[in-house]
Amino acid sequence: MNRNVNNEMTAQRILELKKANGLTTRELAEKLEISESAVKNYIYGRSWPPLETLYKMITIFGVNCIDDIVVLP
């Protein structure tokens, strides 16, 4: 985990964006081309998405930049 970010709040933000876009965990996993369990790990704060996955989330969620997903302390 990166100590320069708030992992718990970032996980919550990913969950909020997933819901706001009307996506199930499975649908998000398919769009990200990763496993459903990986997505669950991100939204429960158990692991951190790689930079490539964060960039895909920008497009999927329709946000402007990583700062709209990642929460700093």
Side-chain angles (χ1 to χ4, degrees):
M1 179 179 76
N2 187 335
R3 295 190 188 279
N4 295 323
V5 298
N6 186 323
N7 196 48
E8 183 179 318
M9 293 300 295
T10 297
Q12 180 63 34
R13 182 70 178 137
I14 292 169
L15 179 61
E16 289 170 359
L17 288 166
K18 178 181 81 73
K19 288 180 179 180
N21 283 272
L23 297 170
T24 65
T25 301
R26 176 175 284 167
E27 290 169 334
L28 179 56
E30 289 172 0
K31 289 180 178 287
L32 291 171
E33 300 175 334
I34 60 175
S35 69
E36 192 173 344
S37 64
V39 172
K40 288 179 181 179
N41 285 333
Y42 304 153
I43 62 178
Y44 293 118
R46 293 187 290 243
S47 66
W48 187 254
L51 193 56
E52 177 183 336
T53 301
L54 287 169
Y55 280 119
K56 287 180 181 180
M57 286 181 185
I58 290 170
T59 302
I60 293 165
F61 294 148
V63 296
N64 295 316
C65 61
I66 289 178
D67 290 343
D68 293 331
I69 300 170
V70 174
V71 179
L72 300 174

mmCIF file of all heavy atoms in Angstrom, residues 36-58:
data_model
loop_
_atom_site.group_PDB
_atom_site.id
_atom_site.type_symbol
_atom_site.label_atom_id
_atom_site.label_comp_id
_atom_site.label_asym_id
_atom_site.label_seq_id
_atom_site.Cartn_x
_atom_site.Cartn_y
_atom_site.Cartn_z
ATOM 1 N N GLU A 36 -12.980 -10.569 -11.052
ATOM 2 C CA GLU A 36 -13.953 -9.987 -10.131
ATOM 3 C C GLU A 36 -13.358 -9.896 -8.721
ATOM 4 O O GLU A 36 -13.597 -8.935 -7.996
ATOM 5 C CB GLU A 36 -15.219 -10.833 -10.145
ATOM 6 C CG GLU A 36 -16.399 -10.203 -9.471
ATOM 7 C CD GLU A 36 -17.678 -10.997 -9.651
ATOM 8 O OE1 GLU A 36 -17.749 -11.882 -10.528
ATOM 9 O OE2 GLU A 36 -18.624 -10.725 -8.890
ATOM 10 N N SER A 37 -12.570 -10.893 -8.342
ATOM 11 C CA SER A 37 -11.961 -10.867 -7.006
ATOM 12 C C SER A 37 -10.969 -9.715 -6.869
ATOM 13 O O SER A 37 -10.839 -9.127 -5.793
ATOM 14 C CB SER A 37 -11.306 -12.204 -6.671
ATOM 15 O OG SER A 37 -10.244 -12.483 -7.541
ATOM 16 N N ALA A 38 -10.288 -9.350 -7.951
ATOM 17 C CA ALA A 38 -9.372 -8.203 -7.895
ATOM 18 C C ALA A 38 -10.150 -6.920 -7.628
ATOM 19 O O ALA A 38 -9.745 -6.093 -6.795
ATOM 20 C CB ALA A 38 -8.575 -8.086 -9.187
ATOM 21 N N VAL A 39 -11.285 -6.756 -8.314
ATOM 22 C CA VAL A 39 -12.123 -5.574 -8.084
ATOM 23 C C VAL A 39 -12.600 -5.542 -6.636
ATOM 24 O O VAL A 39 -12.565 -4.505 -5.976
ATOM 25 C CB VAL A 39 -13.315 -5.523 -9.058
ATOM 26 C CG1 VAL A 39 -14.277 -4.405 -8.687
ATOM 27 C CG2 VAL A 39 -12.838 -5.361 -10.495
ATOM 28 N N LYS A 40 -13.031 -6.691 -6.126
ATOM 29 C CA LYS A 40 -13.473 -6.745 -4.724
ATOM 30 C C LYS A 40 -12.347 -6.349 -3.785
ATOM 31 O O LYS A 40 -12.581 -5.651 -2.788
ATOM 32 C CB LYS A 40 -13.986 -8.146 -4.383
ATOM 33 C CG LYS A 40 -15.317 -8.459 -5.011
ATOM 34 C CD LYS A 40 -15.778 -9.863 -4.666
ATOM 35 C CE LYS A 40 -17.092 -10.186 -5.324
ATOM 36 N NZ LYS A 40 -17.545 -11.552 -5.031
ATOM 37 N N ASN A 41 -11.139 -6.771 -4.080
ATOM 38 C CA ASN A 41 -9.997 -6.386 -3.246
ATOM 39 C C ASN A 41 -9.795 -4.880 -3.252
ATOM 40 O O ASN A 41 -9.451 -4.295 -2.232
ATOM 41 C CB ASN A 41 -8.731 -7.109 -3.695
ATOM 42 C CG ASN A 41 -8.720 -8.552 -3.285
ATOM 43 O OD1 ASN A 41 -9.342 -8.953 -2.303
ATOM 44 N ND2 ASN A 41 -7.998 -9.364 -4.039
ATOM 45 N N TYR A 42 -10.012 -4.234 -4.398
ATOM 46 C CA TYR A 42 -9.867 -2.776 -4.469
ATOM 47 C C TYR A 42 -10.963 -2.073 -3.687
ATOM 48 O O TYR A 42 -10.689 -1.122 -2.957
ATOM 49 C CB TYR A 42 -9.909 -2.276 -5.921
ATOM 50 C CG TYR A 42 -8.900 -2.898 -6.850
ATOM 51 C CD1 TYR A 42 -9.158 -2.993 -8.205
ATOM 52 C CD2 TYR A 42 -7.689 -3.405 -6.395
ATOM 53 C CE1 TYR A 42 -8.249 -3.562 -9.084
ATOM 54 C CE2 TYR A 42 -6.776 -3.986 -7.260
ATOM 55 C CZ TYR A 42 -7.065 -4.064 -8.596
ATOM 56 O OH TYR A 42 -6.180 -4.628 -9.466
ATOM 57 N N ILE A 43 -12.215 -2.535 -3.826
ATOM 58 C CA ILE A 43 -13.314 -1.812 -3.176
ATOM 59 C C ILE A 43 -13.410 -2.110 -1.681
ATOM 60 O O ILE A 43 -14.089 -1.384 -0.964
ATOM 61 C CB ILE A 43 -14.673 -2.039 -3.879
ATOM 62 C CG1 ILE A 43 -15.098 -3.488 -3.850
ATOM 63 C CG2 ILE A 43 -14.646 -1.511 -5.294
ATOM 64 C CD1 ILE A 43 -16.455 -3.753 -4.479
ATOM 65 N N TYR A 44 -12.710 -3.153 -1.233
ATOM 66 C CA TYR A 44 -12.650 -3.421 0.206
ATOM 67 C C TYR A 44 -11.318 -2.999 0.806
ATOM 68 O O TYR A 44 -11.056 -3.237 1.987
ATOM 69 C CB TYR A 44 -12.934 -4.896 0.502
ATOM 70 C CG TYR A 44 -14.355 -5.277 0.179
ATOM 71 C CD1 TYR A 44 -14.634 -6.230 -0.789
ATOM 72 C CD2 TYR A 44 -15.431 -4.671 0.824
ATOM 73 C CE1 TYR A 44 -15.946 -6.571 -1.107
ATOM 74 C CE2 TYR A 44 -16.731 -4.999 0.512
ATOM 75 C CZ TYR A 44 -16.984 -5.951 -0.448
ATOM 76 O OH TYR A 44 -18.282 -6.282 -0.765
ATOM 77 N N GLY A 45 -10.473 -2.371 -0.001
ATOM 78 C CA GLY A 45 -9.206 -1.832 0.487
ATOM 79 C C GLY A 45 -8.160 -2.870 0.831
ATOM 80 O O GLY A 45 -7.213 -2.581 1.548
ATOM 81 N N ARG A 46 -8.309 -4.083 0.310
ATOM 82 C CA ARG A 46 -7.340 -5.145 0.607
ATOM 83 C C ARG A 46 -6.111 -5.091 -0.281
ATOM 84 O O ARG A 46 -5.070 -5.645 0.067
ATOM 85 C CB ARG A 46 -8.006 -6.511 0.492
ATOM 86 C CG ARG A 46 -9.048 -6.749 1.562
ATOM 87 C CD ARG A 46 -9.564 -8.163 1.529
ATOM 88 N NE ARG A 46 -10.378 -8.407 0.360
ATOM 89 C CZ ARG A 46 -11.667 -8.720 0.386
ATOM 90 N NH1 ARG A 46 -12.294 -8.832 1.547
ATOM 91 N NH2 ARG A 46 -12.343 -8.926 -0.720
ATOM 92 N N SER A 47 -6.259 -4.472 -1.440
ATOM 93 C CA SER A 47 -5.109 -4.301 -2.330
ATOM 94 C C SER A 47 -5.285 -3.015 -3.113
ATOM 95 O O SER A 47 -6.368 -2.421 -3.137
ATOM 96 C CB SER A 47 -4.928 -5.505 -3.258
ATOM 97 O OG SER A 47 -6.007 -5.611 -4.149
ATOM 98 N N TRP A 48 -4.207 -2.609 -3.740
ATOM 99 C CA TRP A 48 -4.169 -1.342 -4.448
ATOM 100 C C TRP A 48 -4.140 -1.599 -5.950
ATOM 101 O O TRP A 48 -3.329 -2.389 -6.424
ATOM 102 C CB TRP A 48 -2.917 -0.583 -4.012
ATOM 103 C CG TRP A 48 -2.870 0.789 -4.552
ATOM 104 C CD1 TRP A 48 -2.073 1.229 -5.560
ATOM 105 C CD2 TRP A 48 -3.634 1.910 -4.140
ATOM 106 N NE1 TRP A 48 -2.309 2.550 -5.811
ATOM 107 C CE2 TRP A 48 -3.262 2.993 -4.944
ATOM 108 C CE3 TRP A 48 -4.619 2.083 -3.173
ATOM 109 C CZ2 TRP A 48 -3.842 4.248 -4.804
ATOM 110 C CZ3 TRP A 48 -5.184 3.338 -3.036
ATOM 111 C CH2 TRP A 48 -4.792 4.399 -3.845
ATOM 112 N N PRO A 49 -4.982 -0.922 -6.738
ATOM 113 C CA PRO A 49 -4.968 -1.151 -8.183
ATOM 114 C C PRO A 49 -3.675 -0.618 -8.816
ATOM 115 O O PRO A 49 -3.200 0.451 -8.437
ATOM 116 C CB PRO A 49 -6.174 -0.365 -8.698
ATOM 117 C CG PRO A 49 -6.701 0.431 -7.578
ATOM 118 C CD PRO A 49 -6.026 0.011 -6.324
ATOM 119 N N PRO A 50 -3.145 -1.352 -9.785
ATOM 120 C CA PRO A 50 -1.978 -0.847 -10.508
ATOM 121 C C PRO A 50 -2.347 0.433 -11.274
ATOM 122 O O PRO A 50 -3.516 0.687 -11.569
ATOM 123 C CB PRO A 50 -1.629 -1.964 -11.485
ATOM 124 C CG PRO A 50 -2.469 -3.125 -11.130
ATOM 125 C CD PRO A 50 -3.569 -2.653 -10.244
ATOM 126 N N LEU A 51 -1.341 1.198 -11.615
ATOM 127 C CA LEU A 51 -1.548 2.458 -12.317
ATOM 128 C C LEU A 51 -2.342 2.254 -13.612
ATOM 129 O O LEU A 51 -3.242 3.033 -13.920
ATOM 130 C CB LEU A 51 -0.197 3.119 -12.607
ATOM 131 C CG LEU A 51 -0.222 4.557 -13.059
ATOM 132 C CD1 LEU A 51 -0.954 5.447 -12.062
ATOM 133 C CD2 LEU A 51 1.193 5.061 -13.260
ATOM 134 N N GLU A 52 -2.045 1.206 -14.342
ATOM 135 C CA GLU A 52 -2.767 0.911 -15.588
ATOM 136 C C GLU A 52 -4.266 0.748 -15.323
ATOM 137 O O GLU A 52 -5.101 1.248 -16.079
ATOM 138 C CB GLU A 52 -2.215 -0.365 -16.219
ATOM 139 C CG GLU A 52 -2.942 -0.786 -17.473
ATOM 140 C CD GLU A 52 -2.423 -2.107 -18.039
ATOM 141 O OE1 GLU A 52 -1.265 -2.464 -17.778
ATOM 142 O OE2 GLU A 52 -3.205 -2.764 -18.727
ATOM 143 N N THR A 53 -4.612 0.080 -14.230
ATOM 144 C CA THR A 53 -6.018 -0.120 -13.875
ATOM 145 C C THR A 53 -6.666 1.200 -13.476
ATOM 146 O O THR A 53 -7.813 1.479 -13.842
ATOM 147 C CB THR A 53 -6.142 -1.163 -12.742
ATOM 148 O OG1 THR A 53 -5.572 -2.389 -13.196
ATOM 149 C CG2 THR A 53 -7.589 -1.394 -12.347
ATOM 150 N N LEU A 54 -5.938 2.029 -12.753
ATOM 151 C CA LEU A 54 -6.471 3.347 -12.379
ATOM 152 C C LEU A 54 -6.766 4.188 -13.619
ATOM 153 O O LEU A 54 -7.783 4.866 -13.689
ATOM 154 C CB LEU A 54 -5.501 4.077 -11.453
ATOM 155 C CG LEU A 54 -5.428 3.548 -10.021
ATOM 156 C CD1 LEU A 54 -4.250 4.172 -9.286
ATOM 157 C CD2 LEU A 54 -6.723 3.815 -9.277
ATOM 158 N N TYR A 55 -5.881 4.128 -14.611
ATOM 159 C CA TYR A 55 -6.117 4.872 -15.851
ATOM 160 C C TYR A 55 -7.361 4.356 -16.576
ATOM 161 O O TYR A 55 -8.128 5.137 -17.139
ATOM 162 C CB TYR A 55 -4.898 4.824 -16.765
ATOM 163 C CG TYR A 55 -3.829 5.809 -16.375
ATOM 164 C CD1 TYR A 55 -2.562 5.383 -16.013
ATOM 165 C CD2 TYR A 55 -4.084 7.187 -16.359
ATOM 166 C CE1 TYR A 55 -1.578 6.286 -15.640
ATOM 167 C CE2 TYR A 55 -3.116 8.093 -15.982
ATOM 168 C CZ TYR A 55 -1.864 7.644 -15.628
ATOM 169 O OH TYR A 55 -0.892 8.543 -15.260
ATOM 170 N N LYS A 56 -7.576 3.058 -16.566
ATOM 171 C CA LYS A 56 -8.790 2.500 -17.167
ATOM 172 C C LYS A 56 -10.023 2.977 -16.409
ATOM 173 O O LYS A 56 -11.066 3.259 -17.010
ATOM 174 C CB LYS A 56 -8.736 0.973 -17.178
ATOM 175 C CG LYS A 56 -7.777 0.396 -18.193
ATOM 176 C CD LYS A 56 -7.791 -1.125 -18.134
ATOM 177 C CE LYS A 56 -6.834 -1.741 -19.124
ATOM 178 N NZ LYS A 56 -6.855 -3.224 -19.065
ATOM 179 N N MET A 57 -9.913 3.071 -15.077
ATOM 180 C CA MET A 57 -11.039 3.542 -14.269
ATOM 181 C C MET A 57 -11.425 4.974 -14.629
ATOM 182 O O MET A 57 -12.613 5.322 -14.618
ATOM 183 C CB MET A 57 -10.705 3.457 -12.777
ATOM 184 C CG MET A 57 -10.709 2.065 -12.230
ATOM 185 S SD MET A 57 -10.328 2.103 -10.448
ATOM 186 C CE MET A 57 -10.245 0.362 -10.090
ATOM 187 N N ILE A 58 -10.448 5.806 -14.957
ATOM 188 C CA ILE A 58 -10.733 7.189 -15.354
ATOM 189 C C ILE A 58 -11.720 7.196 -16.511
ATOM 190 O O ILE A 58 -12.720 7.912 -16.491
ATOM 191 C CB ILE A 58 -9.434 7.928 -15.747
ATOM 192 C CG1 ILE A 58 -8.563 8.176 -14.520
ATOM 193 C CG2 ILE A 58 -9.758 9.254 -16.442
ATOM 194 C CD1 ILE A 58 -7.172 8.680 -14.848
#
